[in-house]
Amino acid sequence: MSGRHYIDEHDGPDAIGKSAPADDAGGDPESSEAFQSGPARFTVRAEHNGWRLDRVVAASVPSVSRSRIQTWIERGAARINSGAGRTSDRVYQGDLVEIELQEPPELAAFTAEPMDLQVVHEDDWLIVLDKPPGLVVHPGAGNWRGTLLNGLLAHAPGLSVVPRAGIVHRLDAGTSGLMVVAKTEAIQLDLVRQLQHRQVVREYWAVVTGLAPDSGVIDAALARDPRNPLRFRVSARADARQARTHFRRVAVSQTATALIGASLSWLACRLDTGRTHQIRVHLESIGHPLLGDPLYSKHRPLVRGVALGLTRQALHACRLSLRHPKSGQVISWFRPPPEDLGALMRSVGFEAQRPVDAFGAGVAG
């Protein structure tokens, strides 16, 4: 399955034609195609006398990385002369080593898994769905199964021949809301080009701490935080990627002050670009981090959302608008936040169920 024709919160509109970024931070170098699972047995040779168990196995099974072999051994997959083997055990000439070779988890990454997808629209060319919070979009380290991609392959088996199972843009695992999936590679390419030319409207609702300005544009390049590879930050580095977020304030909660001792603002945000964690980083950079954000507000106890029962960032992709690649008609969808965020918003006086259009026709894409 190719990684072409793909844009998400991890890539901007200039990403067309590139391979999609991997969801994981690395991986083992062995080829899954050449790998075969099952038991392996061998006698330690003279040149391996006194070596550590993991090193001997790695020398005997060169198609598998040593780090993966260490994981297997730690899980009890190895035996030395019929006794349990540990990673650091020394083995000697003539010892019998047995190890159960296990399939790399990547082999399950593109397996169909039935799941209850919240499909908003479906036709012969595309699918629009409402992603729940907590669902990882694409397989990666630690999440090789149970992703949206796995569910899509079960829902529409024909997506197995489309790059990234037709996924056009992603959302962070903790972000809920609308996404579009293409059923053919040609449709996927058309939608990516629409994103390139800012013809797709992606609007998010965010609940942030403090009294945010009435409106604004945050035009600040982003780069990975060298102190924490999981985070991004506003940066002037040469490798920082241009990013622009428009926001407008919908309402301010006075109720929140009584509940948690601070005001909350409800913002509508639209993207000109789609960088990793863009809205989260941009809003933190102007002093209004997302309520409940586990990565960008964890050092501010007040904004963790615990007092209001939220366990993820208060961010929902509420509105999606695009030109249908076949009919040419502009179609729009709106979905209110799921129950966790909706309940929080109602508790502080925000009317989360109504389709507020803070931008009107003022901002494209």
Side-chain angles (χ1 to χ4, degrees):
M1 193 175 287
S2 167
R4 294 173 294 139
H5 315 330
Y6 184 77
I7 290 179
D8 68 336
E9 283 192 66
H10 303 257
D11 262 314
D14 56 342
I16 188 168
K18 297 180 182 178
S19 293
D23 289 345
D24 56 297
D28 292 325
E30 68 265 24
S31 166
S32 319
E33 296 178 358
F35 181 80
Q36 293 184 349
S37 61
R41 299 179 181 84
F42 58 88
T43 301
V44 177
R45 300 195 297 269
E47 60 265 34
H48 297 156
N49 188 59
W51 283 19
R52 282 169 47 118
L53 175 61
D54 59 333
R55 187 182 175 196
V56 170
V57 175
S60 302
V61 190
S63 63
V64 181
S65 71
R66 189 169 173 180
S67 63
R68 178 157 289 165
I69 287 168
Q70 290 171 339
T71 299
W72 294 346
I73 296 173
E74 289 166 2
R75 293 175 178 172
R79 300 180 71 79
I80 305 170
N81 298 325
S82 300
R86 298 175 300 177
T87 302
S88 59
D89 285 347
R90 300 285 173 175
V91 294
Y92 300 92
Q93 181 179 1
D95 283 345
L96 176 63
V97 173
E98 302 172 85
I99 185 161
E100 184 68 27
L101 305 182
Q102 301 167 20
E103 287 188 346
E106 300 94 301
L107 294 183
F110 295 97
T111 300
E113 295 182 51
M115 62 179 63
D116 185 17
L117 298 178
Q118 299 178 43
V119 176
V120 174
H121 169 90
E122 182 171 7
D123 56 35
D124 291 339
W125 300 280
L126 53 83
I127 302 169
V128 175
L129 54 90
D130 188 358
K131 185 188 86 69
L135 179 61
V136 174
V137 171
H138 197 273
N143 293 290
W144 294 114
R145 301 291 297 269
T147 69
L148 175 62
L149 182 146
N150 299 117
L152 285 169
L153 291 175
H155 176 79
L159 292 175
S160 62
V161 298
V162 184
R164 298 276 175 162
I167 295 170
V168 176
H169 60 113
R170 280 187 292 184
L171 298 175
D172 291 334
T175 300
S176 56
L178 293 168
M179 295 179 57
V180 62
V181 176
K183 285 191 168 180
T184 71
E185 188 167 353
I187 296 297
Q188 188 180 44
L189 180 59
D190 184 288
L191 292 172
V192 167
R193 284 176 171 160
Q194 289 189 49
L195 281 165
Q196 271 190 306
H197 296 104
R198 299 174 185 170
Q199 296 170 337
V200 176
V201 173
R202 293 172 289 167
E203 183 172 320
Y204 297 73
W205 282 356
V207 178
V208 302
T209 60
L211 178 60
D214 289 340
S215 63
V217 179
I218 307 171
D219 193 347
L222 304 180
R224 197 174 292 276
D225 188 335
R227 296 171 297 181
N228 183 345
L230 298 179
R231 286 172 51 100
F232 287 78
R233 67 177 186 179
V234 169
S235 174
R237 283 175 10 200
D239 63 342
R241 304 184 72 186
Q242 183 258 343
R244 184 183 299 110
T245 302
H246 301 258
F247 70 88
R248 292 187 180 177
R249 194 179 69 206
V250 178
V252 176
S253 171
Q254 303 301 328
T255 306
T257 305
L259 289 174
I260 62 174
S263 59
L264 295 176
S265 296
W266 170 9
L267 302 182
C269 303
R270 289 192 180 181
L271 305 177
D272 279 355
T273 54
R275 310 304 185 198
T276 306
H277 302 173
Q278 178 174 320
I279 292 175
R280 299 163 69 182
V281 178
H282 271 174
L283 293 178
E284 182 200 35
S285 75
I286 63 169
H288 299 289
L290 289 168
L291 187 73
D293 194 316
L295 190 58
Y296 294 97
S297 61
K298 63 181 180 179
H299 298 303
R300 301 181 175 99
L302 186 64
V303 300
R304 289 181 182 174
V306 175
L308 299 175
L310 191 68
T311 59
R312 51 110 174 182
Q313 64 262 20
L315 187 62
H316 173 70
C318 64
R319 184 172 279 107
L320 177 67
S321 178
L322 53 85
R323 176 185 52 78
H324 195 286
K326 282 296 180 181
S327 70
Q329 179 182 1
V330 175
I331 310 177
S332 298
W333 297 271
F334 170 83
R335 280 297 178 273
E339 183 55 28
D340 65 338
L341 181 54
L344 180 148
M345 294 179 74
R346 292 191 297 272
S347 73
V348 298
F350 294 148
E351 298 180 43
Q353 297 303 307
R354 62 190 182 100
V356 174
D357 188 353
F359 288 93
V363 176

